[in-house]
Amino acid sequence: MNKWTKAIGVVAAAALMIPLAACGSTRGETSGGGASDDEVNVGISMPEQMLERWKIDGENLKEQLEGYGYNVTLQYADGKTDQQTSQIQNMANNGMDYVVIASIDGTATGAAAEQVAANGGTVIAYDRLIMNTDAVDYYATFSLTDVGRMQGEYIEEKLGLKDGATGPFNVELMAGSPTDNNARYYFEGAWEVLGPYFESGVLQSQSGKVPASVDDWQSIGIDNWDRQKAQNEMENRINSFYNDGTKLDAVLAQNDAEATGTYNTIEAAGWDYYPIITGQDAEKANVQAIVQGKQSMTVYKDTRELAKATAEMIKALVDGDTPEAPDTFNNGNKDVPSQLLTPVTVDKDNIQEVLIDGGYISAEDAGL
Ligand code: GAL
């Protein structure tokens, strides 16, 4: 957005503030001036619906917040940054008191978050941080480096690396979306575990697609965490380096879409084995793939817990209390008070206990 469109947006927002102020939207105060005085309006901006997780996240959050009696507007942005920006701007212009944002591109949403703040709203970054702005008030997510570390540790354990196996083993690496601030932390966690083995030569990559350092993670990033893009990437690597019978031992896929792209490629190539394939999000289709032995593990992040934590933050603010946010995350501008939840490794051995007994997915949906 250039400064003129931004200025116009602010003027338009200011114009919209007048009628709102006039009808006394006093956020949480009881002035006795009519039913709308106590209304709490919350906007939720989710990145897309291709991944099941965002649908579940959005619905859970809406339900929790409506349970507190708040008015909720839930919107999805189709994976398009411009669409997300204009949806958030509309929320700002409509005088939302709280806006929860799961960014497509954490840097691109900064300007829209500033518009929410300029209109007196509070911004909560959901799952992904909003970067380089003061306009983000709180952040709720899962411990990011732990997610990557758990994927790396799974590969380490299954290849027997701690027990001294020397390989060399062939491992292909993919990272998340270059525009997603989380993706760096995921790779950092995985690299803490796997990096030393690549250095010693126990692990190697036939494609040579190994970042020189954590800072170079975007060189193996998959745009938008897109399943098809991950599949194209794995098709290239497999056709060029592994279709002559060279064994592929493991694939670091940092979410379930990347895992799907990988096992689809292998299935199409007609191999008689699947390598160790990691994932993240416990998407239904991927839980089934784990049951079927196509994917090895996923890092499960209970979106119900994240929705609950976020809704409770908002409730605390509405009630004039301090929200639970014991950690901080720096977004380039400030340390954002954050709440970090704990992810869980799921593979075929604990699907029943964690996902099904935990009520996250039914046995039937898991393909059990
Ligand atoms: C990340 C998120 C992951 C995964 C990924 C793809 O930001 O933390 O859980 O869903 O995006 O959408």
Side-chain angles (χ1 to χ4, degrees):
M1 190 193 308
N2 66 36
K3 69 181 177 193
W4 295 112
T5 43
K6 186 169 174 179
I8 291 165
V10 170
V11 171
L16 274 160
M17 288 290 284
I18 297 163
L20 276 174
C23 74
S25 176
T26 48
R27 211 175 302 163
E29 284 170 31
T30 322
S31 66
S36 66
D37 282 1
D38 289 332
E39 278 186 4
V40 175
N41 296 306
V42 186
I44 305 172
S45 169
M46 287 283 145
E48 40 111 346
Q49 302 189 69
M50 289 290 285
L51 272 192
E52 179 183 270
R53 73 149 295 180
W54 298 120
K55 277 191 271 178
I56 305 176
D57 279 281
E59 283 155 18
N60 279 340
L61 198 46
K62 185 166 189 280
E63 195 181 302
Q64 295 260 352
L65 291 164
E66 284 176 346
Y68 293 138
Y70 308 156
N71 303 323
V72 180
T73 304
L74 166 61
Q75 292 196 308
Y76 293 90
D78 269 345
K80 298 191 184 85
T81 311
D82 289 353
Q83 191 173 332
Q84 183 163 43
T85 298
S86 72
Q87 286 177 343
I88 299 167
Q89 284 171 335
N90 280 338
M91 290 176 186
N93 293 343
N94 288 331
M96 292 289 157
D97 304 298
Y98 300 90
V99 178
V100 179
I101 302 171
S103 301
I104 297 162
D105 176 339
T107 305
T109 33
E114 279 160 22
Q115 202 165 320
V116 174
N119 286 5
T122 299
V123 174
I124 299 180
Y126 184 91
D127 195 273
R128 300 172 175 169
L129 191 50
I130 301 166
M131 304 303 292
N132 306 329
T133 176
D134 286 337
V136 50
D137 298 286
Y138 294 94
Y139 179 34
T141 192
F142 284 82
S143 174
L144 302 176
T145 38
D146 280 355
V147 171
R149 201 175 291 124
M150 287 154 73
Q151 295 168 334
E153 282 170 350
Y154 196 89
I155 292 175
E156 180 185 48
E157 189 204 316
K158 295 296 168 189
L159 291 179
L161 304 182
K162 265 207 180 146
D163 303 332
T166 51
F169 298 102
N170 290 318
V171 179
E172 291 298 326
L173 306 165
M174 282 183 285
S177 179
T179 58
D180 179 357
N181 184 58
N182 288 5
R184 183 205 156 88
Y185 292 97
Y186 295 147
F187 187 72
E188 189 177 318
W191 201 237
E192 250 173 51
V193 181
L194 301 178
Y197 295 112
F198 271 91
E199 226 156 82
S200 68
V202 171
L203 298 183
Q204 60 187 17
S205 208
Q206 294 300 325
S207 69
K209 295 205 171 176
V210 179
S213 71
V214 169
D215 288 336
D216 190 32
W217 69 273
Q218 285 161 317
S219 66
I220 54 159
I222 301 293
D223 282 343
N224 239 347
W225 296 92
D226 186 79
R227 183 189 55 71
Q228 189 56 51
K229 289 192 175 131
Q231 189 158 328
N232 296 345
E233 178 66 26
M234 285 314 294
E235 270 167 17
N236 278 338
R237 295 196 208 177
I238 280 176
N239 291 337
S240 312
F241 302 103
Y242 298 95
N243 253 352
D244 60 356
T246 304
K247 175 135 194 262
L248 174 56
D249 296 287
V251 176
L252 177 77
Q254 294 219 275
N255 83 336
D256 282 348
E258 295 182 355
T260 308
T262 305
Y263 64 68
N264 279 350
T265 304
I266 288 163
E267 198 162 24
W271 289 7
D272 58 4
Y273 73 96
Y274 286 93
I276 297 159
I277 302 174
T278 60
Q280 171 183 194
D281 286 340
E283 298 264 314
K284 229 179 266 165
N286 296 79
V287 174
Q288 289 171 11
I290 293 173
V291 169
Q292 293 161 7
K294 297 183 193 175
Q295 182 173 334
S296 314
M297 64 86 84
T298 188
V299 178
Y300 164 56
K301 308 193 315 193
D302 189 341
T303 52
R304 295 168 301 183
E305 290 301 316
L306 188 58
K308 186 162 169 266
T310 308
E312 280 170 0
M313 276 183 173
I314 295 176
K315 180 158 192 335
L317 291 165
V318 171
D319 295 347
D321 297 331
T322 310
E324 196 184 324
D327 298 290
T328 57
F329 241 95
N330 194 283
N331 77 341
N333 258 42
K334 68 187 256 196
D335 286 330
V336 183
S338 305
Q339 192 178 146
L340 306 183
L341 305 177
T342 308
V344 178
T345 293
V346 168
D347 69 2
K348 62 178 179 351
D349 295 336
N350 65 353
I351 281 181
Q352 176 72 40
E353 183 195 334
V354 177
L355 298 182
I356 297 167
D357 298 348
Y360 194 72
I361 156 171
S362 68
E364 198 191 353
D365 281 345
L368 280 174

Tab-separated table of all heavy atoms in Angstrom, residues 183-232:
chain	number	residue	atom	x	y	z
A	183	ALA	N	8.025	-20.233	10.133
A	183	ALA	CA	8.771	-21.252	9.387
A	183	ALA	C	10.256	-21.229	9.740
A	183	ALA	O	10.906	-22.273	9.815
A	183	ALA	CB	8.564	-21.054	7.894
A	184	ARG	N	10.782	-20.057	9.988
A	184	ARG	CA	12.186	-19.963	10.359
A	184	ARG	C	12.448	-20.735	11.657
A	184	ARG	O	13.410	-21.484	11.789
A	184	ARG	CB	12.568	-18.491	10.559
A	184	ARG	CG	14.020	-18.337	10.878
A	184	ARG	CD	14.364	-17.080	11.640
A	184	ARG	NE	15.619	-17.341	12.346
A	184	ARG	CZ	16.802	-17.142	11.809
A	184	ARG	NH1	16.919	-16.657	10.607
A	184	ARG	NH2	17.897	-17.446	12.479
A	185	TYR	N	11.542	-20.535	12.625
A	185	TYR	CA	11.736	-21.197	13.927
A	185	TYR	C	11.583	-22.713	13.796
A	185	TYR	O	12.257	-23.474	14.474
A	185	TYR	CB	10.744	-20.652	14.956
A	185	TYR	CG	11.029	-19.218	15.309
A	185	TYR	CD1	10.343	-18.181	14.700
A	185	TYR	CD2	12.020	-18.899	16.235
A	185	TYR	CE1	10.619	-16.860	15.004
A	185	TYR	CE2	12.307	-17.584	16.550
A	185	TYR	CZ	11.594	-16.574	15.931
A	185	TYR	OH	11.882	-15.268	16.238
A	186	TYR	N	10.650	-23.122	12.937
A	186	TYR	CA	10.487	-24.566	12.737
A	186	TYR	C	11.777	-25.158	12.184
A	186	TYR	O	12.243	-26.201	12.629
A	186	TYR	CB	9.324	-24.860	11.759
A	186	TYR	CG	7.963	-24.442	12.271
A	186	TYR	CD1	6.972	-23.998	11.406
A	186	TYR	CD2	7.656	-24.507	13.629
A	186	TYR	CE1	5.721	-23.622	11.865
A	186	TYR	CE2	6.406	-24.131	14.088
A	186	TYR	CZ	5.447	-23.682	13.208
A	186	TYR	OH	4.214	-23.306	13.668
A	187	PHE	N	12.342	-24.457	11.191
A	187	PHE	CA	13.566	-25.010	10.613
A	187	PHE	C	14.708	-24.964	11.627
A	187	PHE	O	15.483	-25.908	11.752
A	187	PHE	CB	13.959	-24.292	9.309
A	187	PHE	CG	15.114	-25.003	8.665
A	187	PHE	CD1	14.920	-26.242	8.052
A	187	PHE	CD2	16.410	-24.500	8.742
A	187	PHE	CE1	15.992	-26.957	7.520
A	187	PHE	CE2	17.481	-25.209	8.219
A	187	PHE	CZ	17.271	-26.438	7.598
A	188	GLU	N	14.762	-23.875	12.364
A	188	GLU	CA	15.822	-23.738	13.372
A	188	GLU	C	15.795	-24.918	14.352
A	188	GLU	O	16.828	-25.496	14.676
A	188	GLU	CB	15.610	-22.421	14.121
A	188	GLU	CG	16.740	-22.034	15.037
A	188	GLU	CD	16.456	-20.679	15.680
A	188	GLU	OE1	15.978	-19.751	14.986
A	188	GLU	OE2	16.688	-20.568	16.886
A	189	GLY	N	14.580	-25.275	14.806
A	189	GLY	CA	14.455	-26.391	15.754
A	189	GLY	C	14.923	-27.697	15.134
A	189	GLY	O	15.660	-28.475	15.757
A	190	ALA	N	14.518	-27.938	13.906
A	190	ALA	CA	14.909	-29.186	13.230
A	190	ALA	C	16.414	-29.204	12.991
A	190	ALA	O	17.081	-30.236	13.145
A	190	ALA	CB	14.168	-29.310	11.899
A	191	TRP	N	16.931	-28.046	12.641
A	191	TRP	CA	18.349	-27.969	12.285
A	191	TRP	C	19.257	-28.140	13.497
A	191	TRP	O	20.373	-28.643	13.390
A	191	TRP	CB	18.622	-26.651	11.552
A	191	TRP	CG	19.871	-26.716	10.731
A	191	TRP	CD1	20.954	-25.895	10.820
A	191	TRP	CD2	20.167	-27.660	9.683
A	191	TRP	NE1	21.912	-26.271	9.907
A	191	TRP	CE2	21.452	-27.354	9.202
A	191	TRP	CE3	19.475	-28.740	9.140
A	191	TRP	CZ2	22.059	-28.094	8.193
A	191	TRP	CZ3	20.075	-29.476	8.131
A	191	TRP	CH2	21.346	-29.153	7.671
A	192	GLU	N	18.774	-27.732	14.652
A	192	GLU	CA	19.534	-27.953	15.894
A	192	GLU	C	19.857	-29.432	16.042
A	192	GLU	O	20.918	-29.817	16.494
A	192	GLU	CB	18.654	-27.571	17.090
A	192	GLU	CG	19.086	-26.344	17.810
A	192	GLU	CD	18.048	-25.973	18.851
A	192	GLU	OE1	17.639	-26.833	19.662
A	192	GLU	OE2	17.624	-24.798	18.826
A	193	VAL	N	18.871	-30.265	15.685
A	193	VAL	CA	19.055	-31.710	15.832
A	193	VAL	C	19.801	-32.291	14.633
A	193	VAL	O	20.751	-33.055	14.790
A	193	VAL	CB	17.678	-32.423	15.963
A	193	VAL	CG1	17.860	-33.919	16.137
A	193	VAL	CG2	16.872	-31.822	17.106
A	194	LEU	N	19.377	-31.920	13.422
A	194	LEU	CA	19.908	-32.592	12.230
A	194	LEU	C	21.208	-31.986	11.709
A	194	LEU	O	22.030	-32.696	11.097
A	194	LEU	CB	18.851	-32.572	11.110
A	194	LEU	CG	17.511	-33.247	11.448
A	194	LEU	CD1	16.537	-33.108	10.281
A	194	LEU	CD2	17.712	-34.728	11.798
A	195	GLY	N	21.390	-30.690	11.939
A	195	GLY	CA	22.563	-29.988	11.396
A	195	GLY	C	23.888	-30.690	11.696
A	195	GLY	O	24.685	-30.940	10.782
A	196	PRO	N	24.132	-31.053	12.967
A	196	PRO	CA	25.413	-31.692	13.290
A	196	PRO	C	25.627	-33.002	12.520
A	196	PRO	O	26.770	-33.321	12.158
A	196	PRO	CB	25.302	-31.966	14.796
A	196	PRO	CG	24.312	-30.956	15.286
A	196	PRO	CD	23.343	-30.740	14.161
A	197	TYR	N	24.561	-33.743	12.256
A	197	TYR	CA	24.723	-34.998	11.499
A	197	TYR	C	25.051	-34.718	10.029
A	197	TYR	O	25.764	-35.492	9.390
A	197	TYR	CB	23.456	-35.862	11.604
A	197	TYR	CG	23.176	-36.358	13.004
A	197	TYR	CD1	22.077	-35.889	13.718
A	197	TYR	CD2	24.013	-37.303	13.620
A	197	TYR	CE1	21.806	-36.339	15.002
A	197	TYR	CE2	23.746	-37.768	14.908
A	197	TYR	CZ	22.637	-37.280	15.594
A	197	TYR	OH	22.373	-37.726	16.862
A	198	PHE	N	24.508	-33.623	9.496
A	198	PHE	CA	24.886	-33.257	8.125
A	198	PHE	C	26.353	-32.842	8.108
A	198	PHE	O	27.096	-33.152	7.180
A	198	PHE	CB	23.999	-32.119	7.600
A	198	PHE	CG	22.747	-32.618	6.922
A	198	PHE	CD1	21.577	-32.806	7.643
A	198	PHE	CD2	22.755	-32.920	5.568
A	198	PHE	CE1	20.425	-33.282	7.025
A	198	PHE	CE2	21.598	-33.391	4.935
A	198	PHE	CZ	20.439	-33.572	5.664
A	199	GLU	N	26.762	-32.154	9.153
A	199	GLU	CA	28.148	-31.695	9.212
A	199	GLU	C	29.125	-32.861	9.284
A	199	GLU	O	30.165	-32.860	8.643
A	199	GLU	CB	28.327	-30.809	10.436
A	199	GLU	CG	29.083	-29.554	10.126
A	199	GLU	CD	28.753	-28.484	11.144
A	199	GLU	OE1	29.356	-28.527	12.223
A	199	GLU	OE2	27.857	-27.656	10.850
A	200	SER	N	28.746	-33.878	10.061
A	200	SER	CA	29.667	-35.005	10.211
A	200	SER	C	29.569	-35.990	9.048
A	200	SER	O	30.352	-36.919	8.947
A	200	SER	CB	29.376	-35.741	11.525
A	200	SER	OG	28.108	-36.384	11.419
A	201	GLY	N	28.579	-35.799	8.182
A	201	GLY	CA	28.463	-36.677	7.015
A	201	GLY	C	27.604	-37.914	7.253
A	201	GLY	O	27.424	-38.727	6.347
A	202	VAL	N	27.049	-38.041	8.458
A	202	VAL	CA	26.145	-39.171	8.727
A	202	VAL	C	24.854	-38.985	7.915
A	202	VAL	O	24.265	-39.935	7.435
A	202	VAL	CB	25.852	-39.267	10.239
A	202	VAL	CG1	24.749	-40.268	10.521
A	202	VAL	CG2	27.112	-39.641	10.987
A	203	LEU	N	24.438	-37.738	7.770
A	203	LEU	CA	23.294	-37.430	6.905
A	203	LEU	C	23.794	-36.678	5.678
A	203	LEU	O	24.724	-35.874	5.762
A	203	LEU	CB	22.261	-36.562	7.649
A	203	LEU	CG	21.615	-37.164	8.894
A	203	LEU	CD1	20.563	-36.202	9.452
A	203	LEU	CD2	21.002	-38.529	8.625
A	204	GLN	N	23.149	-36.950	4.570
A	204	GLN	CA	23.488	-36.252	3.331
A	204	GLN	C	22.232	-36.105	2.502
A	204	GLN	O	21.221	-36.741	2.779
A	204	GLN	CB	24.549	-37.040	2.560
A	204	GLN	CG	24.059	-38.444	2.199
A	204	GLN	CD	25.135	-39.328	1.568
A	204	GLN	OE1	26.311	-39.041	1.668
A	204	GLN	NE2	24.697	-40.391	0.912
A	205	SER	N	22.315	-35.253	1.494
A	205	SER	CA	21.156	-35.005	0.669
A	205	SER	C	21.604	-35.116	-0.776
A	205	SER	O	22.455	-34.343	-1.208
A	205	SER	CB	20.680	-33.586	0.988
A	205	SER	OG	19.345	-33.463	0.769
A	206	GLN	N	21.043	-36.078	-1.524
A	206	GLN	CA	21.489	-36.262	-2.920
A	206	GLN	C	21.176	-35.032	-3.764
A	206	GLN	O	21.871	-34.731	-4.722
A	206	GLN	CB	20.826	-37.503	-3.542
A	206	GLN	CG	21.240	-38.821	-2.920
A	206	GLN	CD	22.747	-39.084	-3.039
A	206	GLN	OE1	23.382	-38.718	-4.017
A	206	GLN	NE2	23.318	-39.703	-2.016
A	207	SER	N	20.115	-34.331	-3.426
A	207	SER	CA	19.743	-33.150	-4.210
A	207	SER	C	20.673	-31.974	-3.923
A	207	SER	O	20.693	-31.001	-4.670
A	207	SER	CB	18.322	-32.713	-3.858
A	207	SER	OG	18.297	-32.190	-2.542
A	208	GLY	N	21.398	-32.057	-2.823
A	208	GLY	CA	22.268	-30.953	-2.426
A	208	GLY	C	21.496	-29.771	-1.862
A	208	GLY	O	22.066	-28.726	-1.575
A	209	LYS	N	20.188	-29.936	-1.669
A	209	LYS	CA	19.392	-28.810	-1.167
A	209	LYS	C	19.460	-28.754	0.354
A	209	LYS	O	18.530	-29.156	1.064
A	209	LYS	CB	17.958	-28.905	-1.667
A	209	LYS	CG	17.909	-28.768	-3.181
A	209	LYS	CD	16.579	-28.261	-3.652
A	209	LYS	CE	16.656	-27.936	-5.143
A	209	LYS	NZ	15.388	-27.529	-5.698
A	210	VAL	N	20.591	-28.285	0.825
A	210	VAL	CA	20.843	-28.179	2.259
A	210	VAL	C	21.271	-26.734	2.521
A	210	VAL	O	22.255	-26.280	1.940
A	210	VAL	CB	21.979	-29.151	2.684
A	210	VAL	CG1	22.272	-29.029	4.164
A	210	VAL	CG2	21.614	-30.585	2.318
A	211	PRO	N	20.519	-26.009	3.347
A	211	PRO	CA	20.893	-24.608	3.588
A	211	PRO	C	22.278	-24.509	4.233
A	211	PRO	O	22.657	-25.372	5.027
A	211	PRO	CB	19.834	-24.106	4.567
A	211	PRO	CG	18.792	-25.150	4.630
A	211	PRO	CD	19.361	-26.429	4.123
A	212	ALA	N	23.007	-23.463	3.872
A	212	ALA	CA	24.345	-23.271	4.425
A	212	ALA	C	24.269	-23.026	5.936
A	212	ALA	O	25.154	-23.403	6.685
A	212	ALA	CB	25.018	-22.093	3.736
A	213	SER	N	23.181	-22.414	6.373
A	213	SER	CA	22.981	-22.163	7.805
A	213	SER	C	21.489	-21.938	8.020
A	213	SER	O	20.718	-21.866	7.052
A	213	SER	CB	23.743	-20.914	8.244
A	213	SER	OG	23.090	-19.783	7.703
A	214	VAL	N	21.099	-21.780	9.280
A	214	VAL	CA	19.680	-21.533	9.568
A	214	VAL	C	19.195	-20.276	8.841
A	214	VAL	O	18.084	-20.239	8.318
A	214	VAL	CB	19.458	-21.400	11.090
A	214	VAL	CG1	18.067	-20.882	11.389
A	214	VAL	CG2	19.676	-22.734	11.763
A	215	ASP	N	20.059	-19.272	8.757
A	215	ASP	CA	19.664	-18.016	8.109
A	215	ASP	C	19.292	-18.203	6.639
A	215	ASP	O	18.634	-17.354	6.055
A	215	ASP	CB	20.801	-16.990	8.202
A	215	ASP	CG	20.942	-16.483	9.626
A	215	ASP	OD1	19.951	-16.554	10.380
A	215	ASP	OD2	22.049	-16.038	9.991
A	216	ASP	N	19.745	-19.294	6.082
A	216	ASP	CA	19.504	-19.566	4.664
A	216	ASP	C	18.278	-20.482	4.471
A	216	ASP	O	18.076	-21.058	3.405
A	216	ASP	CB	20.782	-20.244	4.130
A	216	ASP	CG	20.787	-20.374	2.630
A	216	ASP	OD1	20.205	-19.501	1.965
A	216	ASP	OD2	21.360	-21.371	2.130
A	217	TRP	N	17.427	-20.610	5.497
A	217	TRP	CA	16.315	-21.573	5.459
A	217	TRP	C	15.358	-21.344	4.296
A	217	TRP	O	14.767	-22.272	3.756
A	217	TRP	CB	15.544	-21.549	6.785
A	217	TRP	CG	14.763	-20.284	7.005
A	217	TRP	CD1	15.222	-19.133	7.577
A	217	TRP	CD2	13.396	-20.038	6.650
A	217	TRP	NE1	14.231	-18.178	7.589
A	217	TRP	CE2	13.105	-18.710	7.025
A	217	TRP	CE3	12.400	-20.804	6.055
A	217	TRP	CZ2	11.855	-18.131	6.828
A	217	TRP	CZ3	11.146	-20.232	5.854
A	217	TRP	CH2	10.887	-18.917	6.229
A	218	GLN	N	15.217	-20.070	3.890
A	218	GLN	CA	14.235	-19.787	2.827
A	218	GLN	C	14.609	-20.449	1.500
A	218	GLN	O	13.755	-20.646	0.638
A	218	GLN	CB	14.068	-18.281	2.638
A	218	GLN	CG	13.240	-17.673	3.761
A	218	GLN	CD	13.418	-16.184	3.885
A	218	GLN	OE1	14.543	-15.700	3.790
A	218	GLN	NE2	12.332	-15.462	4.100
A	219	SER	N	15.901	-20.804	1.364
A	219	SER	CA	16.331	-21.451	0.105
A	219	SER	C	15.642	-22.801	-0.092
A	219	SER	O	15.567	-23.302	-1.205
A	219	SER	CB	17.853	-21.625	0.092
A	219	SER	OG	18.239	-22.544	1.103
A	220	ILE	N	15.132	-23.394	0.990
A	220	ILE	CA	14.398	-24.653	0.837
A	220	ILE	C	12.928	-24.480	1.255
A	220	ILE	O	12.233	-25.443	1.540
A	220	ILE	CB	15.054	-25.817	1.623
A	220	ILE	CG1	15.254	-25.438	3.090
A	220	ILE	CG2	16.359	-26.262	0.971
A	220	ILE	CD1	15.394	-26.632	4.008
A	221	GLY	N	12.476	-23.216	1.282
A	221	GLY	CA	11.084	-22.935	1.677
A	221	GLY	C	10.104	-23.327	0.578
A	221	GLY	O	10.448	-23.346	-0.602
A	222	ILE	N	8.900	-23.659	0.968
A	222	ILE	CA	7.827	-23.971	0.016
A	222	ILE	C	6.792	-22.849	0.125
A	222	ILE	O	6.160	-22.681	1.172
A	222	ILE	CB	7.164	-25.341	0.352
A	222	ILE	CG1	8.194	-26.478	0.306
A	222	ILE	CG2	5.964	-25.619	-0.567
A	222	ILE	CD1	8.768	-26.810	-1.060
A	223	ASP	N	6.626	-22.107	-0.978
A	223	ASP	CA	5.724	-20.951	-0.976
A	223	ASP	C	4.358	-21.317	-0.425
A	223	ASP	O	3.733	-22.274	-0.898
A	223	ASP	CB	5.517	-20.433	-2.409
A	223	ASP	CG	6.709	-19.614	-2.851
A	223	ASP	OD1	7.490	-19.187	-1.983
A	223	ASP	OD2	6.862	-19.425	-4.082
A	224	ASN	N	3.912	-20.516	0.540
A	224	ASN	CA	2.562	-20.679	1.074
A	224	ASN	C	2.287	-22.054	1.670
A	224	ASN	O	1.142	-22.439	1.812
A	224	ASN	CB	1.531	-20.423	-0.038
A	224	ASN	CG	0.617	-19.300	0.349
A	224	ASN	OD1	0.591	-18.886	1.519
A	224	ASN	ND2	-0.151	-18.814	-0.601
A	225	TRP	N	3.305	-22.815	1.944
A	225	TRP	CA	3.155	-24.172	2.481
A	225	TRP	C	2.273	-25.004	1.530
A	225	TRP	O	1.489	-25.863	1.968
A	225	TRP	CB	2.464	-24.168	3.839
A	225	TRP	CG	3.156	-23.500	4.977
A	225	TRP	CD1	3.028	-22.209	5.371
A	225	TRP	CD2	4.045	-24.110	5.923
A	225	TRP	NE1	3.778	-21.966	6.489
A	225	TRP	CE2	4.415	-23.130	6.858
A	225	TRP	CE3	4.571	-25.403	6.078
A	225	TRP	CZ2	5.273	-23.376	7.926
A	225	TRP	CZ3	5.417	-25.642	7.151
A	225	TRP	CH2	5.756	-24.633	8.055
A	226	ASP	N	2.383	-24.747	0.252
A	226	ASP	CA	1.442	-25.312	-0.710
A	226	ASP	C	1.741	-26.781	-1.031
A	226	ASP	O	2.871	-27.136	-1.378
A	226	ASP	CB	1.520	-24.453	-1.984
A	226	ASP	CG	0.486	-24.842	-2.995
A	226	ASP	OD1	-0.660	-24.429	-2.822
A	226	ASP	OD2	0.823	-25.583	-3.944
A	227	ARG	N	0.704	-27.606	-0.928
A	227	ARG	CA	0.889	-29.046	-1.146
A	227	ARG	C	1.404	-29.343	-2.549
A	227	ARG	O	2.317	-30.134	-2.746
A	227	ARG	CB	-0.436	-29.789	-0.924
A	227	ARG	CG	-0.291	-31.293	-1.064
A	227	ARG	CD	-1.635	-31.995	-1.069
A	227	ARG	NE	-2.549	-31.494	-2.080
A	227	ARG	CZ	-2.418	-31.691	-3.408
A	227	ARG	NH1	-1.404	-32.381	-3.883
A	227	ARG	NH2	-3.296	-31.192	-4.244
A	228	GLN	N	0.801	-28.696	-3.551
A	228	GLN	CA	1.196	-28.955	-4.939
A	228	GLN	C	2.641	-28.522	-5.188
A	228	GLN	O	3.391	-29.209	-5.875
A	228	GLN	CB	0.234	-28.248	-5.899
A	228	GLN	CG	0.424	-28.633	-7.364
A	228	GLN	CD	0.308	-30.143	-7.611
A	228	GLN	OE1	-0.659	-30.772	-7.185
A	228	GLN	NE2	1.312	-30.736	-8.263
A	229	LYS	N	3.005	-27.394	-4.592
A	229	LYS	CA	4.387	-26.927	-4.781
A	229	LYS	C	5.368	-27.889	-4.126
A	229	LYS	O	6.443	-28.163	-4.654
A	229	LYS	CB	4.556	-25.519	-4.222
A	229	LYS	CG	3.847	-24.511	-5.090
A	229	LYS	CD	4.205	-23.082	-4.776
A	229	LYS	CE	3.523	-22.183	-5.792
A	229	LYS	NZ	2.798	-21.070	-5.203
A	230	ALA	N	4.972	-28.405	-2.953
A	230	ALA	CA	5.841	-29.383	-2.279
A	230	ALA	C	5.961	-30.637	-3.149
A	230	ALA	O	7.040	-31.225	-3.280
A	230	ALA	CB	5.266	-29.737	-0.910
A	231	GLN	N	4.837	-31.007	-3.753
A	231	GLN	CA	4.840	-32.209	-4.592
A	231	GLN	C	5.743	-32.009	-5.821
A	231	GLN	O	6.532	-32.888	-6.161
A	231	GLN	CB	3.399	-32.522	-5.022
A	231	GLN	CG	3.283	-33.867	-5.700
A	231	GLN	CD	1.847	-34.405	-5.638
A	231	GLN	OE1	1.119	-34.146	-4.681
A	231	GLN	NE2	1.462	-35.135	-6.653
A	232	ASN	N	5.634	-30.835	-6.449
A	232	ASN	CA	6.499	-30.555	-7.605
A	232	ASN	C	7.968	-30.640	-7.212
A	232	ASN	O	8.794	-31.204	-7.926
A	232	ASN	CB	6.224	-29.156	-8.173
A	232	ASN	CG	4.803	-29.038	-8.719
A	232	ASN	OD1	4.118	-30.049	-8.928
A	232	ASN	ND2	4.349	-27.817	-8.921
